[in-house]
Amino acid sequence: MSLENYFNHPTFGLLLLICPLGNGQDLYTTLYAQRLFFLVKEGDTGMAVEPLSRGDARSLVENQMRVLRRSRKMAEYKEIQDIFRRTFQ
């Protein structure tokens, strides 16, 4: 996950991947301000982009960190923990 991933949104421009959430879901933020958050879902009918509040985005990342810690994927956990600190603290 050390490579940066982007998603080009027609209204908000280039979005930066914060955290893969599993089950075809990823959390993105606006590239420059990092104030707007989006849940990008990949499904059978295509991609859906859902705006999220900062609190909801924070909760999703915290939950993903718990999942990684419980499954003992410490390298991934530490990467997401660093992203969490830069983004939410």
Side-chain angles (χ1 to χ4, degrees), residues 7 9 20 27-28 45 49 56 69-70 77 80 82 87-88:
F7 178 73
H9 188 276
L27 181 64
Y28 284 83
T45 58
V49 178
D56 289 342
R69 190 175 56 239
R70 287 180 187 148
Y77 170 79
I80 292 178
D82 289 341
T87 306
F88 298 107

Side-chain angles (χ1 to χ4, degrees), residues 1-87:
M1 195 176 95
S2 60
L3 297 176
E4 291 183 348
N5 291 313
Y6 300 96
F7 178 73
N8 193 8
H9 188 276
T11 303
F12 297 103
L14 215 51
L15 303 178
L16 175 66
L17 176 68
I18 293 180
C19 178
L21 301 171
N23 297 327
Q25 297 183 16
D26 298 315
L27 181 64
Y28 284 83
T29 186
T30 50
L31 182 61
Y32 298 106
Q34 295 187 0
R35 297 283 181 209
L36 302 174
F37 298 91
F38 301 91
L39 181 62
V40 177
K41 300 177 186 179
E42 296 178 43
D44 296 336
T45 58
M47 296 183 82
V49 178
E50 177 183 329
L52 294 175
S53 70
R54 182 176 178 84
D56 289 342
R58 182 182 175 128
S59 294
L60 286 173
V61 176
E62 287 172 336
N63 186 49
Q64 185 63 19
M65 287 175 18
R66 279 191 293 276
V67 168
L68 292 172
R69 190 175 56 239
R70 287 180 187 148
S71 62
R72 299 176 190 222
K73 296 181 180 178
M74 296 313 288
E76 292 175 36
Y77 170 79
K78 288 181 182 184
E79 285 183 40
I80 292 178
Q81 187 179 39
D82 289 341
I83 291 168
F84 177 83
R85 286 183 184 142
R86 284 193 308 262
T87 306

